[in-house]
């Protein structure tokens, strides 16, 4: 009891310390912002539009992979909060996860095709577009950051590739299109990722024909991640 109360105090203390100044316009703070738009808006991502926009900003660099379901995060009403990392790691600073700020104005719509993705990440004072960023971001076609269709045993990964980015963007961000409505996304520190990849990756296509950076069939990775998720929830 004592311990869990103390835990809450620590979490809320962190939350207060990480609170964003309300005056910083979204996407212009030098932190990571990801935003989703309807495919009906053409090939653009109007980050300044306040209608039909779902946006999450963070300054936290987590110590492990942290997954978000688009439907869950953007349909709740808090505008700031904390999401625990999906992967539990030992001997890490707690809480480990992402403090976020949302600008979605209750716009989430389950019928919308969120195939327009916008993200911005750069190092203020040392902007090097295309070089190592602080975060790696993953975008998926399925909930819970699953790489393959959980309903199909023989799913073709190329039908629903996932995308990864760990390079700095221009200030002003980068707009992309996915061939599906994004159902989930994940954020992690880019440090190990960039080391493992010999540098950062820009919008890396990951399917069976794009899995070179893993050197493994993607299903294996899915299985490992799935296993870890189960492990952490039962722990
Ligand atoms: C996030 O933005 C704040 C305010 O601009 C800045 O102090 C902080 O260093 C940024 N964090 C990162 C990781 O860029
Ligand atoms: C969005 O607004 C910012 C100022 O907050 C401005 O610098 C930027 O150019 C605008 N972007 C677009 C695409 O209009
Ligand atoms: C908002 O945040 C509070 C405190 O973290 C939490 O108890 C509550 O469940 C959140 N509300 C929603 C709708 O998620
Ligand atoms: C995060 O995890 C900690 C430790 O497992 C738990 O006490 C806390 O309630 C979790 N917070 C949220 C927002 O899920
Ligand atoms: C969602 O939009 C993308 C990109 O425009 C398109 O390729 C995909 O077929 C659309 N999905 C559905 C279910 O309409
Ligand atoms: C980017 O990260 C890789 C891997 O850690 C490193 O080898 C490389 O020197 C870094 N690039 C820059 C410009 O710092």
């Amino acid at each position: 009891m004592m311990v869990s109360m103390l835990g809450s105090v620590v979490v809320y203390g962190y939350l207060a310390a990480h609170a964003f100044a309300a005056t910083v316009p979204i996407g212009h703070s030098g932190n990571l912002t990801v935003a989703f738009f309807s495919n009906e808006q053409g090939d653009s991502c109007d980050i300044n539009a306040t209608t039909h926009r779902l946006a999450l900003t963070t300054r936290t660099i987590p110590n492990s992979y942290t997954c978000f379901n688009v439907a869950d995060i953007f349909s709740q009403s808090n505008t700031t909060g904390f999401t625990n990392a999906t992967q539990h790691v030992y001997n890490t600073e707690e809480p480990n996860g992402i403090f976020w700020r949302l600008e979605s104005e209750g716009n989430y719509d389950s019928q919308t095709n969120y195939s327009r993705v916008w993200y911005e990440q750069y190092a203020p004072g040392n902007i090097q577009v295309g070089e190592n960023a602080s975060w790696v971001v993953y975008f998926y076609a399925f909930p819970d950051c699953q790489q393959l269709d959980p309903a199909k045993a023989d799913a073709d990964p190329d039908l629903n590739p996932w995308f990864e980015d760990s390079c700095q963007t221009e200030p002003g961000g980068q707009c992309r299109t996915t061939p599906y409505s994004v159902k989930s996304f994940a954020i992690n520190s880019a440090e190990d990722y960039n080391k493992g990849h010999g540098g950062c990756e820009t919008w890396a296509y990951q399917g069976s024909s794009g899995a070179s950076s893993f050197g493994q069939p993607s299903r294996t990775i899915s299985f490992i991640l799935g296993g870890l998720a189960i492990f952490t929830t039962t722990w």
Side-chain angles (χ1 to χ4, degrees):
M1 186 58 189
M2 226 20 232
V3 169
S4 78
M5 278 178 65
L6 192 61
S8 303
V9 170
V10 170
V11 167
Y12 290 110
Y14 261 77
L15 203 53
H18 286 72
F20 289 86
T23 50
V24 179
I26 198 154
H28 292 84
S29 63
N31 297 291
L32 170 68
T33 300
V34 295
F36 303 92
F37 302 85
S38 163
N39 66 332
E40 286 168 10
Q41 292 175 274
D43 287 329
S44 69
C45 296
D46 186 0
I47 188 61
N48 291 339
T50 50
T51 50
H52 312 300
R53 178 188 69 188
L54 309 178
L56 178 150
T57 293
T58 187
R59 69 176 59 170
T60 324
I61 301 174
N63 284 321
S64 53
Y65 185 92
T66 305
C67 177
F68 297 85
N69 283 321
V70 171
D72 296 341
I73 189 79
F74 293 115
S75 60
Q76 48 90 38
S77 55
N78 290 331
T79 53
T80 58
F82 175 76
T83 296
N84 273 322
T86 313
Q87 285 171 333
H88 182 82
V89 287
Y90 294 97
N91 300 320
T92 193
E93 220 178 282
E94 296 288 354
N96 178 28
I98 301 272
F99 290 94
W100 41 256
R101 175 165 67 97
L102 304 182
E103 290 198 10
S104 50
E105 289 92 20
N107 282 324
Y108 176 75
D109 176 1
S110 61
Q111 301 306 305
T112 296
N113 181 344
Y114 291 108
S115 64
R116 300 282 178 268
V117 172
W118 181 92
Y119 55 93
E120 180 185 62
Q121 52 174 346
Y122 60 87
N126 184 25
I127 301 169
Q128 293 181 290
V129 179
E131 296 294 348
N132 304 333
S134 300
W135 294 272
V136 53
V137 198
Y138 304 76
F139 300 95
Y140 301 98
F142 304 104
D144 302 320
C145 299
Q146 295 179 92
Q147 296 167 342
L148 297 179
D149 188 345
K152 290 184 189 146
D154 60 347
D156 176 0
D158 286 335
L159 289 179
N160 297 292
W162 69 98
F163 297 91
E164 304 172 350
D165 205 293
S166 65
C167 298
Q168 292 189 45
T169 63
E170 307 263 3
Q174 177 67 56
C175 183
R176 305 279 186 190
T177 300
T178 54
Y180 49 76
S181 183
V182 176
K183 294 290 193 308
S184 60
F185 60 100
I187 298 170
N188 198 352
S189 162
E191 199 178 337
D192 289 347
Y193 179 95
N194 286 343
K195 274 185 198 143
H197 289 235
C200 69
E201 298 273 3
T202 298
W203 198 242
Y205 175 106
Q206 301 291 352
S208 64
S209 58
S212 54
S213 55
F214 285 130
Q216 278 288 329
S218 50
R219 196 173 294 275
T220 311
I221 304 290
S222 254
F223 174 76
I224 292 167
L225 276 180
L228 278 169
I230 288 162
F231 178 75
T232 53
T233 48
T234 53
W235 180 243

